[in-house]
Amino acid sequence: MRLVVDLNKCQGYAQCAFLAPDVFAMHGEESLVYNPHAPEEQRERLARAVAACPVQAITADGLDGAGEQGTGSAQEARDAR
Amino acid sequence: MPADHVDWLRREGRIVIVGASLAGLRAAETLRAEGFAGELTLIGDEPYEPYDRPPLSKSVLLGKASPHRTELPHRREIDAKWRLGVAATGLDLSAKRVKLADGDEVEYDRLLIATGVRARPWLKADEARLDGVCLLRTRDDAADLYQRLKAGPRRVFVIGAGFAGSEVASACREMGVPVTVAERAGAPLVGALGGVIGAVAADLQTENGVDLRPHVTVTSLEGDPVGRVRAVHLSDESVVEVDVVVVSLGSVRNTDWLTGSGLGAGPRGIACDAGCRAFDFRGIVTDDVFVAGDVARSPHALFGYQFLSLEHWGNAVAQAETAAHNMICHGADRRPHLWMPAFWSSMFGVNIKSVGVPPMGDQLMITQGSLAERRFVGVYGYQGRVIAAVSFDNTRWLEFYARQIERGAPFPVEFPTMDRRPEGRQPVAADFPDPSLPTHGPTVTLTGYSPADQQLVFHPARH
Ligand SMILES: Cc1cc2nc3c(=O)[nH]c(=O)nc-3n(C[C@H](O)[C@H](O)[C@H](O)COP(=O)(O)OP(=O)(O)OC[C@H]3O[C@@H](n4cnc5c(N)ncnc54)[C@H](O)[C@@H]3O)c2cc1C
Ligand code: SF4
């Protein structure tokens, strides 16, 4: 699953790192690093992190409400190398 | 009738977006979200679907993310025709056609240009071709650089200590790779944040083991007999032996393909109005060509109507959304793009963020924390107003200062703040370099007026 964090919005509350530590981690006191391609088995945890972020800084494929699931899967297949 | 035209456009018009990256994708999503039902085409010269760049100089170089997997999540289905791996090579404004490198032409009713910038290459082409001389803009660049860092080079040399160059240096140190950074100015980040904050960035680098060389320029890159880079020669006559050179000298706007099109496009980007409508070369606003993201420069009422070029992720998103909205609505419903500039970076474990336009500021006050602790908020003042703020590991305060900037709050900052120290009671000069001197990788370019423009001669038209 793809995800992106709007780090302008992110306040370093570390909620996400607590809920999905394999995807998000704090680096130093305040900076967040994350893996923009979370493995499928992280879906549940990622969904929780998206929901828990107090500033709604995380967008993930099919998880952020507005997005329809499976978007671009044909693209993905074509671009896979 | 114009009203009917917009309704028709929304139903069955053709919209073409050139530049299939962050701004292009978010614009496409907004068009669909706002009910555009016509034909949508995205043209991108990279063979990949839109991916995110900021991780390329951060998590990717640290081995925490794959350079091949930073594709942007989609906010919604966009049902677009993708033309990836093919560059737009020309634009015919009157026939409303985009020419492609493969000889095809694509017609549009409305066009969005979001071609961004590319990394400025090393100025001597033969030296730039040496094996080991790298740039960092695309995912291919990041994949290549990551491999080289992982191979354990003797030393990496970074030319230019802007944000990107400093982030590369930080990644090198974290991977235990020796690194030298050369910067023409007196300190890193000086062009973006001024000399006072630059001095803090310089300490950060040297304490983390970076061999920082301020006040020097690179004069040449030397290769070995098989064409690998071997050494870097500096203006102070020193020579540094290296295996990898990262050229981090800022960026060049992707406007070459518009040469001769009649659009107001050039090395500083494409000028547009606050509604993201591009100007033609006569300064007349077009009504069917829109611009967004790093390639655009637009006037901002909060900053003296300066034309700002922002190489900021958040600006690309916000401007794309506004451009898309304005492309498919009636004149009275159009919105201005008056985004509060905001930027983040992280290096050596420190989170750096800014809001507003620091290079416009001439004075600086440390309103929270202290420079020595590298945990502070610095507020920039310009003509008695708060114009920008920067934080090192103090992000929670920036929102507050963003509001201050919007309100034109007075500077020097008078209100008492938490954690205000004696050093922050008086403003000091922010110490930006002479604006007519080019700097490496500015994050904001003030293009409305530059002292360098004094060479322009204005000839009034004779009637
Ligand atoms: C390594 C790195 C780190 C960064 N870190 C940060 C950060 O920490 N914080 C921050 O705020 N910003 C950061 N940025 C900046 C941010 O990534 C940009 O502001 C953002 O990518 C701009 O998006 P854009 O869509 O306008 O342009 P781009 O992402 O540059 O996309 C333009 C696209 O158009 C394509 N194109 C160009 N010419 C043509 C043509 N003629 N025909 C077809 N396609 C064309 C390009 O190849 C490219 O794919 C970073 C950038 C880089 C490179
Ligand atoms: S939960 Fe949100 S604000 Fe907190 S660190 Fe994660 S992304 Fe940032």
Side-chain angles (χ1 to χ4, degrees), chain A residues 2 4 6-8 10-12 27-31 34 36-37 59 61 66-68 71 75-76 79 81, chain B residues 48-49 52 65 69 72-77 82 174 313 342-344 349 351 353 375 393-396:
Chain A
R2 308 149 170 204
V4 67
D6 181 340
L7 290 164
N8 285 319
C10 172
Q11 302 282 306
H27 190 241
E29 300 264 313
E30 266 197 7
S31 348
Y34 61 95
H37 190 82
T59 305
D61 259 343
E68 283 108 325
T71 308
Q75 285 300 319
E76 207 162 14
D79 284 345
R81 12 137 98 201
Chain B
Y48 313 115
E49 67 169 306
D52 206 26
R69 305 316 300 260
L72 288 159
H74 291 213
R75 289 178 179 171
R76 60 181 304 112
E77 188 64 68
W82 294 82
E174 206 155 313
W313 189 94
F343 177 88
W344 80 87
N351 195 26
K353 288 196 179 188
R375 200 185 165 99
D393 274 350
N394 233 319
T395 193
R396 275 155 234 194

Side-chain angles (χ1 to χ4, degrees), chain A residues 5-7 9-17 24 26 30 32 49 52-58:
Chain A
V5 181
D6 181 340
L7 290 164
K9 283 191 193 161
C10 172
Q11 302 282 306
Y13 292 122
Q15 290 281 10
C16 53
F24 304 95
M26 297 313 287
E30 266 197 7
L32 178 70
C53 173
V55 290
Q56 297 178 329
I58 311 168

Side-chain angles (χ1 to χ4, degrees), chain B residues 18-24 43-46 53-54 56-58 86-88 114-117 136-137 167 254 257 292-294 311-313 316 343-345:
Chain B
V18 183
S21 184
L22 179 62
I43 299 164
D45 60 359
E46 293 188 80
R53 294 177 206 274
L56 299 179
S57 55
K58 305 175 185 78
V86 55
T115 46
V117 303
L136 184 52
R137 179 80 199 170
E167 287 176 10
N254 289 320
W257 67 284
D294 284 6
E311 290 175 39
H312 296 176
W313 189 94
F343 177 88
W344 80 87
S345 172

